[in-house]
Amino acid sequence: MISMNQFDRLETIAQRLIEGIFSRLFHTQLHPADLARHLAVAVETEQPEVSQTESAHIPNYYDITLNPGDYSQLVAGSSVEAEVIRLRNYLTWLIQEANYQPVGPIRVMLEKSDAVRPGKVKIKTRYVNGNDGKHRTKTKEAFFVATHNAGQWALQFDDQTVSLGEPVIRIGRALDNDVILGDQTVSRYHAQLRWRNGIYHLYPPVQPEVVSEQEKTLRLNPHTTVNAEATAQCALKHGDVLTFGSTVLHIIVQDNS
């Protein structure tokens, strides 16, 4: 008879084969959660431009380019138009959450190119107001945090400490997360931390607007508490205690004084 610990170990090994070795060899598709993360990073790392009316504006045009294989997987069983609407709705939500103001209506172009490697995303942003457009290009490799303060943050759990520092941190049981938890009561994609205004904020793993109907690997309302209060979204600070499933995580912020 296989014990629960043995079963968990076997599941972990199988998951590592499927998501680790095999995905690196074949890169069959871009996970919807990964695409959502790219969009979140594109918004969170944008430097708003202050207009004469002192309103902070960010680009409103997002040209999203995928590898042809990832592109085909994304629109399979759907349509380009439907996926563009889904992505536009998600970007609108991200921008509203960041309290930014786009320079005009949000526009999304979804394209494919062999120049983009499988599993990667290229996002070109533009300010489009009338016929005037200023270009900016973002790729996964070019993302950065504007301040070094994010590197002073860490997560402490299970006798280990994981340094943060990226604009968006994905946390969950799946092996393609930034912080991987082995707890079977934790969702495969459980939560994300997003750097904004000098602190990290807790968010759900991904909003429903960007997840396809057939996507079965995400649980969008996982058991999450901060300081024993049930929540899926809040600002974080030093000393906060997060509970994901049965895993307890502590927020550590080094004193920079």
Side-chain angles (χ1 to χ4, degrees):
M1 182 176 180
I2 299 178
S3 68
M4 182 58 70
N5 287 338
Q6 288 173 312
F7 179 82
D8 290 347
R9 181 174 175 273
L10 290 174
E11 184 185 39
T12 299
I13 292 173
Q15 185 179 342
R16 186 179 300 276
L17 287 173
I18 294 171
E19 298 175 352
I21 298 173
F22 289 166
S23 66
R24 292 191 189 98
L25 286 175
F26 301 108
H27 288 293
T28 53
Q29 72 176 55
L30 178 72
H31 197 287
D34 202 29
L35 175 56
R37 178 176 183 264
H38 283 287
L39 296 175
V41 172
V43 171
E44 296 295 347
T45 57
E46 190 64 61
Q47 298 298 312
E49 294 190 352
V50 179
S51 67
Q52 294 180 348
T53 59
E54 298 186 355
S55 297
H57 288 121
I58 65 170
N60 63 315
Y61 187 100
Y62 294 80
D63 189 350
I64 303 168
T65 307
L66 308 177
N67 177 269
D70 294 331
Y71 180 96
S72 297
Q73 290 285 347
L74 181 66
V75 301
S78 180
S79 67
V80 176
E81 292 76 14
E83 295 307 317
V84 165
I85 292 172
R86 192 190 306 275
L87 294 171
R88 187 174 66 228
N89 289 341
Y90 185 59
L91 277 166
T92 300
W93 179 83
L94 286 172
I95 292 169
Q96 289 174 346
E97 286 295 310
N99 291 321
Y100 291 155
Q101 181 67 41
V103 72
I106 300 297
R107 304 180 188 180
V108 173
M109 288 290 293
L110 185 60
E111 300 178 327
K112 55 185 174 181
S113 171
D114 289 323
V116 179
R117 291 179 295 164
K120 304 298 182 181
V121 180
K122 181 178 180 180
I123 302 176
K124 180 188 294 182
T125 64
R126 277 194 287 166
Y127 292 83
V128 179
N129 191 355
N131 296 322
D132 181 33
K134 292 182 288 184
H135 294 260
R136 293 184 180 181
T137 301
K138 293 178 178 288
T139 63
K140 182 177 181 180
E141 292 79 4
F143 291 147
F144 67 95
V145 178
T147 175
H148 296 296
N149 291 340
Q152 297 171 344
W153 289 61
L155 280 176
Q156 194 174 70
F157 61 96
D158 294 340
D159 297 325
Q160 62 177 307
T161 301
V162 176
S163 297
L164 304 181
E166 295 295 321
V168 178
I169 305 289
R170 290 189 305 173
I171 305 173
R173 188 162 45 85
L175 295 176
D176 56 350
N177 284 293
D178 302 294
V179 177
I180 303 169
L181 304 178
D183 181 0
Q184 295 299 312
T185 65
V186 171
S187 299
R188 284 166 50 77
Y189 299 93
H190 195 99
Q192 59 176 291
L193 304 182
R194 302 221 298 265
W195 180 260
R196 183 186 305 149
N197 298 328
I199 61 174
Y200 274 106
H201 295 249
L202 174 70
Y203 277 91
V206 60
Q207 287 301 107
E209 288 83 354
V210 81
V211 181
S212 59
E213 294 296 328
Q214 63 267 36
E215 177 58 49
K216 302 298 182 183
T217 62
L218 294 175
R219 181 147 51 91
L220 296 174
N221 295 301
H223 173 66
T224 301
T225 68
V226 176
N227 301 326
E229 296 288 336
T231 184
Q233 181 174 326
C234 69
L236 299 173
K237 63 183 184 304
H238 175 74
D240 280 346
V241 179
L242 284 60
T243 303
F244 296 167
S246 300
T247 299
V248 178
L249 308 93
H250 299 266
I251 297 291
I252 306 296
V253 183
Q254 298 178 0
D255 186 3
N256 59 357
S257 59

PDB file of all heavy atoms in Angstrom, residues 28-39:
ATOM      1  N   THR A  28       5.748  23.047 -25.646  1.00  0.00           N
ATOM      2  CA  THR A  28       4.586  22.868 -26.502  1.00  0.00           C
ATOM      3  C   THR A  28       3.626  24.044 -26.449  1.00  0.00           C
ATOM      4  O   THR A  28       2.921  24.306 -27.417  1.00  0.00           O
ATOM      5  CB  THR A  28       3.830  21.596 -26.093  1.00  0.00           C
ATOM      6  OG1 THR A  28       3.546  21.638 -24.679  1.00  0.00           O
ATOM      7  CG2 THR A  28       4.674  20.369 -26.381  1.00  0.00           C
ATOM      8  N   GLN A  29       3.548  24.752 -25.314  1.00  0.00           N
ATOM      9  CA  GLN A  29       2.626  25.879 -25.266  1.00  0.00           C
ATOM     10  C   GLN A  29       2.970  26.827 -24.136  1.00  0.00           C
ATOM     11  O   GLN A  29       3.669  26.458 -23.199  1.00  0.00           O
ATOM     12  CB  GLN A  29       1.178  25.403 -25.113  1.00  0.00           C
ATOM     13  CG  GLN A  29       0.846  24.849 -23.727  1.00  0.00           C
ATOM     14  CD  GLN A  29      -0.622  24.479 -23.618  1.00  0.00           C
ATOM     15  OE1 GLN A  29      -1.125  23.712 -24.411  1.00  0.00           O
ATOM     16  NE2 GLN A  29      -1.289  25.018 -22.632  1.00  0.00           N
ATOM     17  N   LEU A  30       2.499  28.045 -24.265  1.00  0.00           N
ATOM     18  CA  LEU A  30       2.644  29.053 -23.223  1.00  0.00           C
ATOM     19  C   LEU A  30       1.451  28.940 -22.299  1.00  0.00           C
ATOM     20  O   LEU A  30       0.308  28.992 -22.738  1.00  0.00           O
ATOM     21  CB  LEU A  30       2.696  30.445 -23.847  1.00  0.00           C
ATOM     22  CG  LEU A  30       2.798  31.631 -22.907  1.00  0.00           C
ATOM     23  CD1 LEU A  30       4.186  31.700 -22.294  1.00  0.00           C
ATOM     24  CD2 LEU A  30       2.491  32.920 -23.657  1.00  0.00           C
ATOM     25  N   HIS A  31       1.708  28.765 -21.010  1.00  0.00           N
ATOM     26  CA  HIS A  31       0.610  28.620 -20.062  1.00  0.00           C
ATOM     27  C   HIS A  31      -0.135  29.949 -19.927  1.00  0.00           C
ATOM     28  O   HIS A  31       0.488  31.004 -19.878  1.00  0.00           O
ATOM     29  CB  HIS A  31       1.151  28.194 -18.702  1.00  0.00           C
ATOM     30  CG  HIS A  31       0.108  27.631 -17.793  1.00  0.00           C
ATOM     31  ND1 HIS A  31      -0.839  28.413 -17.182  1.00  0.00           N
ATOM     32  CD2 HIS A  31      -0.150  26.362 -17.426  1.00  0.00           C
ATOM     33  CE1 HIS A  31      -1.619  27.650 -16.451  1.00  0.00           C
ATOM     34  NE2 HIS A  31      -1.226  26.400 -16.592  1.00  0.00           N
ATOM     35  N   PRO A  32      -1.471  29.915 -19.888  1.00  0.00           N
ATOM     36  CA  PRO A  32      -2.228  31.165 -19.738  1.00  0.00           C
ATOM     37  C   PRO A  32      -1.786  31.991 -18.538  1.00  0.00           C
ATOM     38  O   PRO A  32      -1.764  33.216 -18.603  1.00  0.00           O
ATOM     39  CB  PRO A  32      -3.671  30.673 -19.582  1.00  0.00           C
ATOM     40  CG  PRO A  32      -3.700  29.372 -20.308  1.00  0.00           C
ATOM     41  CD  PRO A  32      -2.347  28.755 -20.072  1.00  0.00           C
ATOM     42  N   ALA A  33      -1.424  31.317 -17.433  1.00  0.00           N
ATOM     43  CA  ALA A  33      -0.972  32.053 -16.256  1.00  0.00           C
ATOM     44  C   ALA A  33       0.332  32.780 -16.522  1.00  0.00           C
ATOM     45  O   ALA A  33       0.579  33.863 -15.990  1.00  0.00           O
ATOM     46  CB  ALA A  33      -0.800  31.093 -15.073  1.00  0.00           C
ATOM     47  N   ASP A  34       1.183  32.193 -17.376  1.00  0.00           N
ATOM     48  CA  ASP A  34       2.444  32.831 -17.701  1.00  0.00           C
ATOM     49  C   ASP A  34       2.213  34.067 -18.569  1.00  0.00           C
ATOM     50  O   ASP A  34       2.857  35.104 -18.388  1.00  0.00           O
ATOM     51  CB  ASP A  34       3.360  31.844 -18.425  1.00  0.00           C
ATOM     52  CG  ASP A  34       4.820  32.240 -18.316  1.00  0.00           C
ATOM     53  OD1 ASP A  34       5.175  32.873 -17.315  1.00  0.00           O
ATOM     54  OD2 ASP A  34       5.588  31.924 -19.232  1.00  0.00           O
ATOM     55  N   LEU A  35       1.277  33.958 -19.509  1.00  0.00           N
ATOM     56  CA  LEU A  35       0.926  35.111 -20.331  1.00  0.00           C
ATOM     57  C   LEU A  35       0.359  36.228 -19.454  1.00  0.00           C
ATOM     58  O   LEU A  35       0.697  37.407 -19.626  1.00  0.00           O
ATOM     59  CB  LEU A  35      -0.090  34.714 -21.400  1.00  0.00           C
ATOM     60  CG  LEU A  35      -0.643  35.852 -22.277  1.00  0.00           C
ATOM     61  CD1 LEU A  35       0.491  36.614 -22.955  1.00  0.00           C
ATOM     62  CD2 LEU A  35      -1.613  35.297 -23.313  1.00  0.00           C
ATOM     63  N   ALA A  36      -0.491  35.863 -18.499  1.00  0.00           N
ATOM     64  CA  ALA A  36      -1.050  36.860 -17.576  1.00  0.00           C
ATOM     65  C   ALA A  36       0.044  37.544 -16.790  1.00  0.00           C
ATOM     66  O   ALA A  36       0.003  38.754 -16.539  1.00  0.00           O
ATOM     67  CB  ALA A  36      -2.047  36.184 -16.634  1.00  0.00           C
ATOM     68  N   ARG A  37       1.065  36.773 -16.414  1.00  0.00           N
ATOM     69  CA  ARG A  37       2.174  37.351 -15.655  1.00  0.00           C
ATOM     70  C   ARG A  37       2.933  38.366 -16.502  1.00  0.00           C
ATOM     71  O   ARG A  37       3.321  39.429 -16.019  1.00  0.00           O
ATOM     72  CB  ARG A  37       3.114  36.245 -15.196  1.00  0.00           C
ATOM     73  CG  ARG A  37       4.343  36.734 -14.434  1.00  0.00           C
ATOM     74  CD  ARG A  37       5.146  35.537 -13.936  1.00  0.00           C
ATOM     75  NE  ARG A  37       6.274  35.970 -13.158  1.00  0.00           N
ATOM     76  CZ  ARG A  37       7.510  36.118 -13.648  1.00  0.00           C
ATOM     77  NH1 ARG A  37       7.724  35.881 -14.932  1.00  0.00           N
ATOM     78  NH2 ARG A  37       8.503  36.499 -12.874  1.00  0.00           N
ATOM     79  N   HIS A  38       3.165  38.052 -17.767  1.00  0.00           N
ATOM     80  CA  HIS A  38       3.845  38.984 -18.655  1.00  0.00           C
ATOM     81  C   HIS A  38       3.081  40.310 -18.752  1.00  0.00           C
ATOM     82  O   HIS A  38       3.677  41.394 -18.730  1.00  0.00           O
ATOM     83  CB  HIS A  38       3.987  38.384 -20.046  1.00  0.00           C
ATOM     84  CG  HIS A  38       5.078  37.364 -20.168  1.00  0.00           C
ATOM     85  ND1 HIS A  38       6.408  37.696 -20.168  1.00  0.00           N
ATOM     86  CD2 HIS A  38       5.030  36.020 -20.278  1.00  0.00           C
ATOM     87  CE1 HIS A  38       7.143  36.602 -20.286  1.00  0.00           C
ATOM     88  NE2 HIS A  38       6.330  35.571 -20.356  1.00  0.00           N
ATOM     89  N   LEU A  39       1.760  40.211 -18.869  1.00  0.00           N
ATOM     90  CA  LEU A  39       0.951  41.425 -18.968  1.00  0.00           C
ATOM     91  C   LEU A  39       1.016  42.226 -17.664  1.00  0.00           C
ATOM     92  O   LEU A  39       1.098  43.460 -17.684  1.00  0.00           O
ATOM     93  CB  LEU A  39      -0.497  41.063 -19.298  1.00  0.00           C
ATOM     94  CG  LEU A  39      -0.720  40.388 -20.656  1.00  0.00           C
ATOM     95  CD1 LEU A  39      -2.182  39.969 -20.801  1.00  0.00           C
ATOM     96  CD2 LEU A  39      -0.311  41.299 -21.796  1.00  0.00           C
TER      97      LEU A  39
END
